[in-house]
Amino acid sequence: QAAQAATARGWQLYVVGGSVRDLLLAKQEGNKSPAMQDIDLVVDGFDQTADVGAGVELAKTLQPLYPESRLEIHGAFQTAALLWHKHPVLGSLWIDIATARTEFYPYPAANPEVEASSIRQDLYRRDFTINALAVRLTSNHAGEVLDFFGGAIDLKERKIRVLHPNSLIEDPTRIYRAVRFAVRLRFTIEAQTEAYIRYAINSGVYQRSLLAHKKAPALQTRLKTELKYILQAPYWERAIQLLASLGALQCLHPTLQLNQKLWWLLRLVDRWLRRFDRQDNLVHWLLRLEVLLLGLETSDRQSVAYNLQLPNDSLERLSHLETYQTKIESGLSEFEQVSQIVKLLQNYDLPTLILVALRSEHRPTRQTIWKYLTIWKQVKSPLNGNDLKTLGYPPGALYKEILEDLLAATLDGRVSDR
Ligand code: ATP
């Protein structure tokens, strides 16, 4: 339907990006049913009468044909998307429809040279050759693969290659994307691209962009998104190791290094994440990122977390972790009763307790926090308010005190079943 609608206006329509890459890769590997993913379409066309870009125009035409989809428009001349939350076959589906870059310059649609240069320019803006492939959906060449930059060969040779030397200076988040694709697809980063990566890092491009929040908030957001993709993926360990070996953790802060201690902490936090998976909405990627930032001095950690616009509770934890740690450790060394320990630890949220446990040099601290989270935190007072009422206590503030005392007595083993 999209191709028909585009053809009716004399426009060209292409599917580009990740879905083309994954489709060709699946074909190459003899996998007949690749996992369905979001689809990126690019429209190459110009409509003098329309006051929006061709992509938006096309999406507006298509939406009524799929009443169960929702139309989203991002900026009048930019992109539109059709979203299905419950697609009958695919579950959820997101189709992005963008306009090829040169569409604002009127040109005769029939001129193949201009037309080819328009989609070529669009693809040239992309990150890697394997992501710069397109399949034409319109005209009698429908199904044709457009490969201006050698993406098909790189797919065969399983290589991540940038399109031009300046690519990583232009957009440093591509370094993280290179690592993500390399690890996820089991590709290697092509030698020249690796040299560009190291050059970009050594050039200090990050001090000027990524580390200076006020100058580049959009870049920071994209870097956070890439970190999130990496740290929530099953392959996060290999990705972090590759980032570290490329020196790319310096993009977060020049002093950040994956030393043995930090690596050990990252591995250890997984044990806690597995155990408390479903509790307190633990956000795995965020906690892994917080652990990674433990490799920094407090003030650096704070500024990186702020630059990345981490959520407030995360900022709070990373800023005050040393204070929390001191309070918890001194409390634990002083208290003997379980109820006292519970009273102390219940002031802190789960991620804070995990970070304190990980950082602690004292094994008993780690063990006590583990016991609190796995056992003591679950202990309930043997009676509740209703029971007290039944026993004839007059309702009031006294209830809270009695119930707290009962809970403490239970935790400390002063309550018997009899
Ligand atoms: P995934 O399977 O992870 O979704 P994808 O290739 O679809 O992979 P997206 O992040 O959704 O990745 O991006 C879609 C397309 O947009 C990419 O294939 C690439 O062509 C282009 N793209 C995304 N981010 C960048 C970037 N930072 N620089 C250049 N092109 C990019």
Side-chain angles (χ1 to χ4, degrees), residues 123 314 336 369:
L123 296 171
S314 192
E336 282 175 1
I369 292 178

Side-chain angles (χ1 to χ4, degrees), residues 12-14 115 135-146:
Q12 294 289 334
L13 183 67
Y14 305 91
E115 179 232 304
V135 173
R136 191 193 296 273
L137 299 177
T138 39
S139 91
N140 37 12
H141 295 290
E144 173 192 21
V145 177
L146 278 77

Side-chain angles (χ1 to χ4, degrees), residues 5-12 43-61 76-77 99-109 118:
T7 306
R9 288 174 165 76
W11 297 342
Q12 294 289 334
V43 194
D44 191 357
F46 181 76
D47 183 348
Q48 303 207 356
T49 58
D51 56 358
V52 290
V56 174
E57 180 74 15
L58 186 66
K60 281 183 167 172
T61 312
F77 281 90
T99 313
R101 195 166 238 196
T102 50
E103 72 114 0
F104 302 113
Y105 307 106
Y107 56 80
S118 166

Side-chain angles (χ1 to χ4, degrees), residues 313-367:
D313 60 324
S314 192
L315 291 179
E316 182 95 351
R317 263 192 301 279
L318 290 169
S319 305
H320 302 297
L321 196 60
E322 276 79 4
T323 316
Y324 298 154
Q325 175 128 20
T326 310
K327 279 191 183 158
I328 290 175
E329 286 187 335
S330 71
L332 292 185
S333 66
E334 193 183 317
F335 300 145
E336 282 175 1
Q337 306 273 30
V338 174
S339 60
Q340 291 175 301
I341 296 173
V342 169
K343 217 165 178 178
L344 169 73
L345 297 184
Q346 71 192 8
N347 295 317
Y348 301 94
D349 64 13
L350 178 59
T352 304
L353 291 175
I354 295 180
L355 292 185
V356 168
L358 290 180
R359 279 186 93 240
S360 179
E361 304 284 335
H362 305 284
R363 204 150 171 253
T365 304
R366 227 175 297 145
Q367 289 169 334

Side-chain angles (χ1 to χ4, degrees), residues 17-19 21-22 37-38 40 125-127 131-132 171 173-174 177 180-181 184 222 226 229:
S19 47
R21 176 197 67 221
D22 291 348
Q37 57 153 314
D38 299 337
D40 292 316
R125 281 183 299 147
R126 292 171 187 268
D127 46 6
N131 286 344
D171 179 356
T173 62
R174 290 176 185 160
R177 290 178 62 82
R180 175 156 72 85
F181 288 120
R184 185 174 101 193
R222 292 217 309 276
E226 288 304 327
Y229 285 149

Side-chain angles (χ1 to χ4, degrees), residues 2-281:
Q4 275 171 11
T7 306
R9 288 174 165 76
W11 297 342
Q12 294 289 334
L13 183 67
Y14 305 91
V15 51
V16 297
S19 47
V20 176
R21 176 197 67 221
D22 291 348
L23 204 70
L24 294 180
L25 198 57
K27 203 169 146 201
Q28 175 177 313
E29 289 172 351
N31 176 0
K32 293 214 172 57
S33 50
M36 195 60 207
Q37 57 153 314
D38 299 337
I39 295 172
D40 292 316
L41 299 179
V42 170
V43 194
D44 191 357
F46 181 76
D47 183 348
Q48 303 207 356
T49 58
D51 56 358
V52 290
V56 174
E57 180 74 15
L58 186 66
K60 281 183 167 172
T61 312
L62 289 175
Q63 197 280 328
L65 305 178
Y66 303 97
E68 66 287 8
S69 71
R70 193 159 59 81
L71 174 68
E72 253 185 31
I73 296 175
H74 309 283
F77 281 90
Q78 301 300 316
T79 60
L82 288 179
L83 328 174
W84 282 258
H85 284 302
K86 285 188 189 143
H87 190 277
V89 183
L90 303 167
S92 77
L93 176 66
W94 181 302
I95 300 187
D96 249 318
I97 309 182
T99 313
R101 195 166 238 196
T102 50
E103 72 114 0
F104 302 113
Y105 307 106
Y107 56 80
N111 180 340
E113 259 171 50
V114 180
E115 179 232 304
S117 86
S118 166
I119 182 70
R120 190 179 194 282
Q121 263 188 46
D122 185 281
L123 296 171
Y124 190 61
R125 281 183 299 147
R126 292 171 187 268
D127 46 6
F128 310 114
T129 58
I130 57 164
N131 286 344
L133 290 157
V135 173
R136 191 193 296 273
L137 299 177
T138 39
S139 91
N140 37 12
H141 295 290
E144 173 192 21
V145 177
L146 278 77
D147 177 12
F148 298 107
F149 313 107
I153 290 188
D154 285 336
L155 265 186
K156 274 211 178 69
E157 295 182 352
R158 305 185 86 84
K159 293 242 180 324
I160 307 290
R161 185 194 307 267
V162 286
L163 274 72
H164 53 86
N166 224 19
S167 178
L168 303 158
I169 301 274
E170 225 173 71
D171 179 356
T173 62
R174 290 176 185 160
I175 296 180
Y176 278 63
R177 290 178 62 82
V179 166
R180 175 156 72 85
F181 288 120
V183 173
R184 185 174 101 193
L185 303 173
R186 295 187 178 272
F187 278 33
T188 51
I189 298 178
E190 175 272 330
Q192 185 65 63
T193 297
E194 183 177 331
Y196 292 146
I197 290 179
R198 292 186 191 276
Y199 175 80
I201 293 166
N202 292 331
S203 77
V205 65
Y206 304 102
Q207 273 83 337
R208 295 193 300 278
S209 56
L210 290 177
L211 301 173
H213 167 59
K214 288 204 179 73
K215 284 194 200 148
L219 204 56
Q220 302 279 359
T221 310
R222 292 217 309 276
L223 179 64
K224 181 169 71 176
T225 307
E226 288 304 327
L227 277 166
K228 175 179 169 183
Y229 285 149
I230 285 176
L231 290 171
Q232 73 189 8
Y235 51 75
W236 71 267
E237 291 184 25
R238 279 185 294 133
I240 289 291
Q241 277 177 325
L242 183 53
L243 282 171
S245 74
L246 290 167
L249 293 180
Q250 283 178 36
C251 304
L252 294 174
H253 194 274
T255 63
L256 186 58
Q257 294 210 347
L258 188 66
N259 56 26
Q260 236 181 351
K261 168 110 194 274
L262 192 55
W263 181 238
W264 180 79
L265 289 181
L266 279 165
R267 302 284 308 274
L268 192 60
V269 78
D270 254 27
R271 210 183 302 162
W272 294 72
L273 284 171
R274 273 197 301 276
R275 178 63 180 77
F276 303 107
D277 192 19
R278 310 244 168 260
Q279 282 180 33
D280 294 329
N281 300 324

